[in-house]
Amino acid sequence: MRQSACLYPGSFDPVTLGHLDIITRAAGIFERVVVGVLVNAEKNGAFPMEERVAMLKKAAADLPQVEVLPFSGLTVDLCRQLDIRVLVRGLRGPGDLESEMRMAKVNGLLLPGLETVFLPSAGGMEALSSSLVREIASLGGDISALVPRSVLPDILSHYK
Ligand code: PNS
């Protein structure tokens, strides 16, 4: 069956320009894009869940077809709950490939019919990661080329 909705799951701790690029491109393909923000029961994120969700909402404010939802548990369970059968993940390069392929295959075994669509990172975004953003921001570096402009003040105030 053709699909009009996708789920883009992740930690988004915090959202980067790389994430926003994937969200924007997914919104150009699907009528509905749900961004699922993982509440990790084992480790607390650097940014509280509410802040991660609020930053994503701000970053995607211009994209009406994008929803941001916190979730815990399995990604496939959220797919079942939302009746979504397509996952979107960004691929920054070969370093991401092995673990992403494994996750896509296992998710497909857990929920037959679930497809994972990989979007290659746009030029210049391959090097971005939330962990680098956190490290640079915590050391007082300039992260303005790495994160959406709308969330820059939130990230800076977190490290003040
Ligand atoms: O942004 P991340 O940290 O690369 O995202 C990883 C994420 C959240 C997509 C992945 O860890 C996940 O799906 N976690 C939920 C638990 C789950 O479904 N685990 C089985 C994966 S095969």
Side-chain angles (χ1 to χ4, degrees):
M1 196 174 79
R2 298 234 168 97
Q3 302 293 322
S4 59
C6 70
L7 171 67
Y8 176 32
S11 307
F12 306 104
D13 191 24
V15 59
T16 68
L17 276 176
H19 295 133
L20 183 58
D21 171 58
I22 299 295
I23 293 169
T24 305
R25 285 160 59 205
I29 301 170
F30 295 94
E31 281 165 24
R32 179 180 177 218
V33 177
V34 178
V35 180
V37 188
L38 180 69
V39 181
N40 194 335
E42 280 146 33
K43 59 175 181 139
N44 287 327
F47 287 80
M49 172 54 54
E50 310 74 56
E51 285 182 30
R52 284 188 267 155
V53 169
M55 283 191 276
L56 273 160
K57 284 184 176 170
K58 260 193 215 179
D62 292 341
L63 299 166
Q65 66 274 60
V66 175
E67 295 157 48
V68 183
L69 268 188
F71 79 101
S72 54
L74 291 173
T75 292
V76 290
D77 286 338
L78 183 62
C79 289
R80 276 196 195 94
Q81 200 183 311
L82 299 172
D83 201 18
I84 283 180
R85 291 297 178 269
V86 181
L87 290 178
V88 164
R89 292 284 288 170
L91 270 190
R92 288 170 298 188
D96 282 345
L97 196 59
E98 198 181 321
S99 60
E100 290 296 336
M101 288 287 287
R102 206 167 40 230
M103 209 154 52
K105 284 179 186 167
V106 173
N107 279 328
L109 290 173
L110 294 174
L111 180 53
L114 180 69
E115 296 285 2
T116 298
V117 172
F118 293 123
L119 296 179
S121 291
M125 305 285 175
E126 308 91 332
L128 295 190
S129 69
S130 296
S131 56
L132 270 181
V133 165
R134 293 197 302 269
E135 182 181 339
I136 295 165
S138 69
L139 296 171
D142 181 6
I143 55 162
S144 56
L146 314 181
V147 300
R149 191 196 305 236
S150 56
V151 307
L152 184 59
D154 301 303
I155 298 176
L156 294 181
S157 75
H158 181 89
Y159 287 102
K160 249 190 207 149

